Amino acid sequence: MAGHRPFRDLVADRMKDWSPERRARYEARKAKFAAEMAAAELTGQAATREAMEELEAGKGTRFPSVDALMTDLHDGD
């Protein structure tokens, strides 16, 4: 494809004109986002482990059909 450039190259070209203050704000936002993503991933993994432990122990709700399970899963959407 003619003229194709990776996104990171396009961003790097734009960033070279940024002031040091703007670059610092960008780096701070990027670090905050990375930390939030890591926390969300850990929270999701913990919830998955907890659900698996409940299933292994035979706890939890029993559903008469797959449709009933899917309805319950999507009730909060």
Side-chain angles (χ1 to χ4, degrees), residues 27-50:
E27 292 299 331
R29 281 195 315 262
K30 190 167 83 170
K32 180 181 175 189
F33 177 73
E36 288 173 356
M37 291 301 294
E41 184 175 315
L42 291 176
T43 303
Q45 290 174 358
T48 301
R49 276 194 301 275
E50 183 179 318

Side-chain angles (χ1 to χ4, degrees), residues 50-51 53-63 72:
E50 183 179 318
E53 289 169 2
E54 284 183 11
L55 288 173
E56 289 173 355
K59 298 177 184 174
T61 306
R62 306 269 183 201
F63 294 96
D72 185 66

Side-chain angles (χ1 to χ4, degrees), residues 57-74:
K59 298 177 184 174
T61 306
R62 306 269 183 201
F63 294 96
S65 67
V66 173
D67 289 332
L69 171 64
M70 295 307 289
T71 300
D72 185 66
L73 287 174
H74 296 289

Side-chain angles (χ1 to χ4, degrees), residues 14 16-18 28 33 43 50 60 63-64 75:
R14 300 280 315 251
K16 67 183 174 186
D17 297 331
W18 287 2
F33 177 73
T43 303
E50 183 179 318
F63 294 96
D75 276 346

